[in-house]
């Protein structure tokens, strides 16, 4: 929408969606998030990364008014299920990039 704070929303959406678009499912998404937030093996970096991730989530919840329509949530669940099935055959599969030519 034209009345939204794009300067706040765009970086947060980029952080949330960029790792997912790369494909590979939840395991690779988690690895990308850990890399993005600097969460290495030691506990202090994990705590700092978790604090940064929590701050981003709070920014979204408090500063960006949004809601997810029920039909969108159901569609998202179906897509994630299909991607999960595809990941059993190809662990690098990414449904977003595979379906992009058909929905763009």
């Amino acid at each position: 929408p034209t009345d939204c704070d794009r300067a706040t929303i765009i970086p947060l959406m980029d952080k949330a969606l960029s790792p997912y678009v790369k494909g590979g499912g939840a395991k690779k998404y988690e690895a990308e998030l850990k890399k993005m937030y600097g969460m290495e093996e030691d506990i202090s970096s994990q705590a700092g990364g978790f604090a940064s991730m929590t701050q981003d989530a709070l920014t979204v919840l408090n500063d960006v008014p949004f809601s997810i329509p029920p039909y969108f949530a159901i569609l998202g669940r179906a897509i994630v299920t299909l991607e999960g099935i595809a990941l059993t055959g190809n662990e690098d599969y990414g449904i977003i990039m595979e379906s992009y030519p058909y929905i763009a």
Side-chain angles (χ1 to χ4, degrees):
T2 56
D3 63 338
C4 69
D5 182 7
R6 295 176 69 85
T8 301
I9 295 171
I10 290 174
L12 294 171
M13 292 299 290
D14 186 47
K15 271 187 177 178
L17 297 177
S18 291
Y20 182 72
V21 170
K22 291 180 180 177
K27 288 181 183 179
K28 288 198 177 177
Y29 181 78
E30 178 186 13
E32 285 291 322
L33 282 180
K34 284 183 175 181
K35 190 180 345 174
M36 185 183 304
Y37 284 102
M39 298 169 75
E40 305 300 328
E41 295 301 319
D42 63 331
I43 194 72
S44 63
S45 69
Q46 288 185 4
F50 185 73
S52 297
M53 211 164 32
T54 302
Q55 184 59 45
D56 286 348
L58 287 174
T59 300
V60 169
L61 293 173
N62 295 326
D63 298 344
V64 181
F66 74 97
S67 63
I68 299 173
Y71 67 88
F72 190 78
I74 291 170
L75 180 62
R77 185 175 179 181
I79 289 171
V80 169
T81 301
L82 288 172
E83 185 176 50
I85 293 168
L87 284 166
T88 61
N90 176 0
E91 63 185 33
D92 292 324
Y93 183 79
I95 198 165
I96 300 294
M97 294 311 291
E98 293 294 330
S99 62
Y100 185 76
Y102 302 103
I103 58 174

